[in-house]
């Protein structure tokens, strides 16, 4: 069995910085990506639109240039969202959007994940004109939807968790105050978030990662598979089922691929006092998504099921971000592929399946 697909956009990926970036970009290209939305949680963060702006962060212009110089000139589009900090102003949004350098902004929960220490609390942007300017200028808000600063049972408990708290307590107010703001609920993991997206207007969409389609908390905890540790955490069966239902709905227009491939080398992934959040899936994400679709019971040899898969991987996200559908194609083949660690300038990075004890995956790719 094989499926020919247009090349696709990975609408949430971490390409990092420095010499290792080249390896991560090669891995994106090897899995049929025509373009990327590259996350701004670098060090320093990408917190300015252009270099003429004040502040210590990198600019979207400068980071995009780094990506192009590290092999990203092969991409038809590179979107770098602006990292929202306490220094972000409505004026930056307005002028950035006028120059067309600014297409999206990223909200991180302060200290809530890798590289989120420069973020300001959500209410800052609700009140200071930043979200208002984004709505006005048509700039997309990429949201890491987890309530920050929670601990213990409230962070991850039987009754609620940081993502559920965010979607129950923050998102209704955001949607009410800024009804036209375009929002991508990124890497959603819970039924509550999926329901929020379904019940919202066309201006609200969501990305889903391979790991959240494939695994639940039990898979991570049994044998403590730390390569599956990412944020937001994988959740429970009813949550995975809600994500699976959302992506396999034949009329789906709101849910699309954003891998959140987030490499951490062996030097930094596991340490004496904890583990860096992030799963590495570059190079194999369409294969893992196909595996996830099949695990829902969908038969990918069927033309209708292939169409549903194509919407999720190739069509919906490009349409939401206003990107052109690619002319070039790639082919997914139902043939086992072995998975290797990636050697980078920062050290060895372990792809998720290897971290789960699997050295092969059921699908492979032909470019
Ligand atoms: C990401 C990273 O490593 O940069 N980690 C992750 O667990 N997803 C940050 C993020 O997107 O939360
Ligand atoms: Zn991410």
């Amino acid at each position: 069995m094989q499926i020919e697909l247009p090349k696709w956009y990975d609408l949430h990926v971490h390409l990092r910085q420095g010499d290792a970036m080249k390896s991560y970009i090669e891995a994106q290209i090897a899995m049929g990506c025509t373009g990327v939305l590259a996350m701004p949680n670098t060090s320093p963060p990408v917190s300015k639109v252009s270099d003429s702006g004040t502040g210590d962060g990198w600019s979207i212009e400068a980071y995009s240039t780094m990506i192009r110089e590290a092999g990203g000139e092969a991409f038809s589009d590179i979107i770098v969202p602006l990292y929202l900090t306490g220094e972000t102003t409505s004026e930056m949004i307005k002028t950035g959007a006028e120059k067309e350098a600014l297409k999206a902004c990223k909200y991180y929960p302060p200290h809530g994940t890798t590289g989120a220490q420069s973020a300001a609390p959500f209410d800052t942007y609700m009140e200071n004109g930043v979200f208002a300017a984004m709505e006005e200028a048509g700039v997309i808000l990429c949201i890491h939807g987890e309530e920050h600063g929670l601990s213990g049972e409230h962070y991850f408990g039987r009754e609620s968790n940081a993502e559920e708290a965010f979607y129950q307590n923050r998102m209704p107010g955001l949607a009410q105050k800024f009804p036209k703001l375009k929002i991508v609920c990124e890497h959603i993991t819970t039924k509550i978030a999926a329901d929020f997206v379904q019940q919202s207007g066309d201006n609200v969409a969501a990305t889903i990662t391979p790991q959240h389609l494939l695994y639940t908390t039990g898979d991570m905890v049994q044998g403590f598979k730390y390569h599956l540790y990412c944020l937001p955490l994988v959740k429970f069966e009813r949550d995975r089922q809600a994500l699976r239902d959302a992506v396999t709905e034949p009329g789906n227009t709101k849910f699309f691929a954003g891998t959140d491939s987030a490499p951490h080398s062996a030097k930094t992934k596991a340490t004496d006092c904890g583990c860096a959040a992030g799963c590495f899936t570059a190079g194999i994400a369409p294969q893992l998504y196909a595996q996830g679709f099949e695990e829902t019971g969908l038969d990918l040899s069927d033309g209708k099921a292939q169409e549903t898969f194509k919407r999720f991987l190739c069509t919906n996200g490009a349409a939401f971000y206003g990107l052109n559908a690619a002319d070039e194609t790639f082919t997914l083949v139902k043939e086992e592929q072995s998975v290797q660690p990636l050697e980078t300038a920062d050290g060895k990075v372990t792809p998720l399946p290897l971290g789960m004890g699997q050295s092969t995956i059921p699908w492979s790719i032909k470019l």
Side-chain angles (χ1 to χ4, degrees):
M1 184 201 333
Q2 54 182 54
I3 315 174
E4 191 181 351
L5 294 159
K7 288 197 172 176
W8 61 291
Y9 293 90
D10 187 346
L11 290 163
H12 182 134
V13 59
H14 298 269
L15 298 178
R16 307 303 192 202
Q17 61 199 80
D19 293 338
M21 191 186 230
K22 185 171 161 289
S23 308
Y24 304 138
I25 292 173
E26 275 169 15
Q28 291 296 130
I29 292 170
M31 63 174 174
C33 273
T34 189
V36 288
L37 184 140
M39 281 292 140
N41 63 336
T42 44
S43 179
V46 183
S47 55
K48 296 190 292 189
V49 178
S50 69
D51 279 330
S52 55
T54 53
D56 297 333
W58 281 345
S59 69
I60 291 177
E61 280 169 3
Y63 190 54
S64 304
T65 303
M66 281 182 226
I67 295 171
R68 277 195 293 274
E69 288 178 354
E73 73 280 333
F75 293 132
S76 59
D77 285 278
I78 300 167
I79 299 175
V80 177
L82 182 72
Y83 189 131
L84 295 176
T85 71
E87 313 284 294
T88 315
T89 63
S90 53
E91 195 53 33
M92 284 164 71
I93 306 292
K94 192 165 168 279
T95 51
E98 277 162 10
K99 286 198 298 179
E100 293 192 10
L102 183 66
K103 296 226 159 25
C105 296
K106 172 75 186 218
Y107 168 74
Y108 279 110
H111 300 279
T113 187
T114 308
Q117 57 278 11
S118 306
F122 193 72
D123 279 346
T124 311
Y125 317 111
M126 288 285 281
E127 307 299 337
N128 72 0
V130 165
F131 288 162
M134 291 175 64
E135 182 184 43
E136 171 80 26
V139 172
I140 294 174
L141 176 60
C142 303
I143 290 197
H144 182 125
E146 289 192 287
E147 188 58 45
H148 74 279
L150 299 177
S151 55
E153 184 72 4
H154 298 292
Y155 179 65
F156 189 75
R158 281 215 289 204
E159 301 309 325
S160 186
N161 57 60
E163 181 174 296
E164 292 179 337
F166 193 88
Y167 280 88
Q168 283 171 322
N169 304 332
R170 302 273 176 199
M171 292 304 280
L174 176 71
Q176 198 178 18
K177 189 161 181 187
F178 306 107
K180 297 204 183 91
L181 180 63
K182 284 189 91 172
I183 301 168
V184 178
C185 302
E186 300 200 291
H187 44 52
I188 60 164
T189 66
T190 56
K191 178 170 178 351
I192 283 177
D195 288 348
F196 174 83
V197 175
Q198 303 273 25
Q199 286 154 16
S200 300
D202 290 348
N203 57 318
V204 178
T207 56
I208 295 184
T209 74
Q211 60 269 23
H212 295 110
L213 270 191
L214 285 167
Y215 300 112
T216 61
T217 322
D219 296 307
M220 184 175 70
V221 172
Q222 205 165 30
F224 204 78
K225 302 289 197 300
Y226 66 91
H227 288 286
L228 180 55
Y229 174 64
C230 70
L231 293 172
L233 288 164
V234 284
K235 299 295 191 310
F236 302 104
E237 181 50 31
R238 74 186 175 113
D239 297 304
R240 177 173 64 176
Q241 192 57 50
L243 305 184
R244 288 179 166 188
D245 290 346
V247 299
T248 54
E249 158 68 43
N252 164 33
T253 55
K254 282 174 163 271
F255 298 89
F256 52 84
T259 62
D260 199 11
S261 176
H264 292 274
S265 77
K267 289 182 212 154
T268 54
K269 180 68 186 160
T271 71
D272 283 349
C273 62
C275 178
C279 298
F280 180 57
T281 54
I284 53 171
Q287 298 92 309
L288 297 180
Y289 280 130
Q291 184 182 338
F293 268 63
E294 281 193 314
E295 286 185 16
T296 71
L298 213 67
D299 174 5
L300 280 177
S301 66
D302 171 71
K304 285 213 181 86
Q306 291 180 2
E307 200 49 45
T308 305
F309 183 73
K310 182 174 144 187
R311 276 169 177 267
F312 171 75
L313 188 74
C314 315
T315 318
N316 294 347
F320 194 85
Y321 276 96
L323 299 163
N324 292 326
D327 296 329
E328 286 181 58
T329 61
F330 74 101
T331 308
L332 266 174
V333 187
K334 185 80 188 278
E335 225 169 66
E336 259 192 12
Q337 174 194 332
S338 71
V339 183
Q340 314 292 341
L342 187 74
E343 298 294 341
T344 77
D346 284 346
K348 192 173 79 168
V349 180
T350 301
L352 178 60
L354 278 183
M356 299 305 289
Q358 291 149 12
S359 55
T360 60
I361 49 175
W363 289 81
S364 55
I365 266 188
K366 268 199 255 161
L367 289 184

